[in-house]
Amino acid sequence: MTAAREAPHVAEAPTGLRVTFGGAIYPADELAHGAAYELFSADPVDGFQRNPRPGAPLPWHRFVHVTEVAAVHGPRADTPLETPEAPLMVPLNRQRGWSDIHALSQTPAYADDPTVAGIRRTAAIRRGTRMIKALSARQLSGYLRGWLPYGFCYREHDVAHLRTPADLALLRTDADAGRDDPDVVYALRWRAIDPRDYEIPLGAHQRGLVRMPAHDRVGPPVLGTGFTPSGRHVIPEFVTADFADLPMPANATLLAYTPDGTEVVLYTYQPEQRGWLRMAGPQWRHLLTRVPELPPDQEYVPSDDKTKSTRLVGRYRGQEYDAVADPPGEFRVLAMTRAARYPVEALSRRVPYARWRGVPCTALHQEAGWTRLRLCRPDADSVAALGAQCYERGVYEVWAPTAEITDSGMVDIEYAL
């Protein structure tokens, strides 16, 4: 990181917030509940770029992570107090600096190094952690139609400073970059229901993906260090446990990011209505014009519950019900009327598992004697044995004759309330 020289002029941000960064004080806006800041300057400063927003009061801006700022002055955003996320803790000393840690995080040979593993495990998920997954236009359409969170993802806290399509490109898991609008990147953001729903792609746990041949994978390689491939960032990544689908929590959002760093909330998930409610106004509808099978002016998009492989199940007074999670503290019976939304007394995630040709998988759905399977621990041998295809980074799926599937059954993963 290049240190910024002192700004010759400090103006007031619209919020009155100021941040000390690189030895200078800049007007700033808080992002992602304080995980990052947008800094502004009246004059060109190293690392700042032209602010392309029409009518911007200050012509230069940049985005920085909270760990890069020395102090925050003035009023904070008027948001409810939350438990801050555990930051990534890096033991720097004279012998091992930031560039050395970055090199270790990007080297698969160090996947079993205790230093790398120790650093990686400091970035942990708790109940209610905001998670985020960058999406293509095709993937956005899939989530609107009923997909659930799965595969590689990140804590919002770790990537909040990546705000433009160019910066967010390194988080994408798809192969659609050449077909999408380069001026917009989409994302799904949701709150974690429980830490056990996520795994760290670290060491032997994901060695099969680390050794996957290039012609059998999509997206960036999996390093096995628990960090995403990047030329300058150290970003911890996660995968959903066994690459399984996770239940969609209430108030999950589908987002868009524009070249000026604006975050636009496109849709929010309404579980009782079983669909997505459009939040973006007419000025943002152009962001949806290239999303397949989606009229940009559609106010509500119903979600296809028949395609959901994972259910959130709650128990209330000895009876079992479909449940809704609104982490960190609300877990209730799924009901249209408010009076029937009782807090559940027990909660679990119900996942269908199966084996085909000896390979463990989760079962996604069935159709005309065939079952869609997703591999839990993909490696080159199992992918070849099943003829599975890679549909996004780390995710391998295949259609199997239902009659040939063995050890199929539902597994309830209990959550402690």
Side-chain angles (χ1 to χ4, degrees):
M1 180 180 67
T2 302
R5 66 175 176 84
E6 185 173 351
H9 172 65
V10 178
E12 287 294 323
T15 61
L17 187 68
R18 295 182 298 163
V19 163
T20 301
F21 170 76
I25 298 177
Y26 298 95
D29 281 340
E30 185 181 81
L31 306 173
H33 304 269
Y37 293 90
E38 182 178 7
L39 310 184
F40 304 95
S41 175
D43 304 289
V45 183
D46 290 345
F48 282 65
Q49 297 179 338
R50 280 284 184 182
N51 190 345
R53 297 188 184 100
L58 296 173
W60 300 89
H61 77 150
R62 72 173 293 174
F63 301 96
V64 298
H65 195 263
V66 63
T67 55
E68 300 178 81
V69 305
V72 180
H73 319 273
R76 304 291 295 274
D78 186 18
T79 55
L81 294 177
E82 296 187 358
T83 302
E85 298 295 339
L88 183 72
M89 303 298 291
V90 181
L92 302 179
N93 51 50
R94 292 181 180 179
Q95 287 74 37
R96 179 171 280 177
W98 182 256
S99 60
D100 300 309
I101 297 298
H102 177 266
L104 291 176
S105 76
Q106 300 298 299
T107 307
Y110 288 95
D112 295 314
D113 183 277
T115 298
V116 173
I119 294 171
R120 177 58 190 84
R121 291 194 176 98
T122 63
I125 292 175
R126 60 181 174 86
R127 178 164 288 169
T129 292
R130 287 183 174 84
M131 306 298 296
I132 196 164
K133 178 173 181 172
L135 307 176
S136 67
R138 176 186 58 84
Q139 289 172 316
L140 175 71
S141 178
Y143 281 98
L144 284 169
R145 300 301 177 188
W147 291 8
L148 297 172
Y150 69 93
F152 277 87
C153 53
Y154 301 86
R155 299 191 309 173
E156 183 188 43
H157 176 83
D158 298 316
V159 299
H161 59 302
L162 305 178
R163 300 284 293 190
T164 66
D167 288 338
L168 287 165
L170 69 90
L171 306 184
R172 289 180 57 165
T173 62
D174 60 276
D176 300 325
R179 297 187 289 270
D180 278 356
D181 184 347
D183 290 335
V184 60
V185 163
Y186 306 102
L188 170 69
R189 183 170 62 206
W190 72 99
R191 283 183 178 268
I193 298 174
D194 195 272
R196 69 185 305 182
D197 288 342
Y198 302 88
E199 299 172 349
I200 300 174
L202 178 66
H205 199 52
Q206 297 293 345
R207 191 153 288 158
L209 287 178
V210 175
R211 296 174 176 172
M212 194 71 69
H215 59 78
D216 280 340
R217 68 173 188 246
V218 168
V222 177
L223 302 177
T225 61
F227 296 95
T228 204
S230 171
R232 62 190 183 96
H233 299 288
V234 179
I235 299 175
E237 60 186 7
F238 297 86
V239 292
T240 58
D242 290 334
F243 283 93
D245 288 347
L246 302 180
M248 187 72 75
N251 301 310
T253 52
L254 287 165
L255 313 167
Y257 293 90
T258 63
D260 60 12
T262 299
E263 176 188 281
V264 182
V265 178
L266 300 174
Y267 294 88
T268 184
Y269 183 64
Q270 304 295 308
E272 280 81 16
Q273 285 72 38
R274 292 177 171 80
W276 295 88
L277 181 65
R278 185 170 63 80
M279 305 297 291
Q283 73 272 29
W284 300 115
R285 290 181 187 172
H286 67 280
L287 299 175
L288 298 170
T289 55
R290 297 182 67 170
V291 178
E293 302 178 2
L294 178 68
D297 58 349
Q298 188 169 343
E299 296 284 342
Y300 167 77
V301 182
S303 180
D304 186 0
D305 284 344
K306 295 180 181 179
T307 66
K308 288 180 170 58
S309 65
T310 298
R311 292 176 57 208
L312 195 63
V313 178
R315 285 177 289 281
Y316 176 74
R317 293 186 176 179
Q319 298 295 316
E320 185 177 281
Y321 300 92
D322 284 334
V324 173
D326 192 0
E330 187 174 346
F331 307 94
R332 62 181 187 265
V333 172
L334 175 63
M336 288 295 291
T337 60
R338 185 172 298 275
R341 297 173 189 173
Y342 309 112
V344 297
E345 298 161 349
L347 187 70
S348 63
R349 172 167 61 93
R350 183 166 293 172
V351 188
Y353 281 88
R355 284 180 180 269
W356 186 41
R357 299 176 181 172
V359 177
C361 305
T362 59
L364 302 179
H365 56 272
Q366 294 184 355
E367 185 175 318
W370 293 80
T371 300
R372 183 77 169 185
L373 302 175
R374 182 182 298 150
L375 279 64
C376 295
R377 291 285 180 269
D379 58 32
D381 291 339
S382 60
V383 167
L386 271 58
Q389 298 293 315
C390 186
Y391 287 88
E392 64 177 63
R393 184 171 180 240
V395 176
Y396 293 78
E397 297 179 3
V398 64
W399 284 100
T402 302
E404 296 182 11
I405 292 175
T406 61
D407 302 325
S408 62
M410 294 292 181
V411 175
D412 279 5
I413 299 168
E414 297 288 338
Y415 297 127
L417 296 182

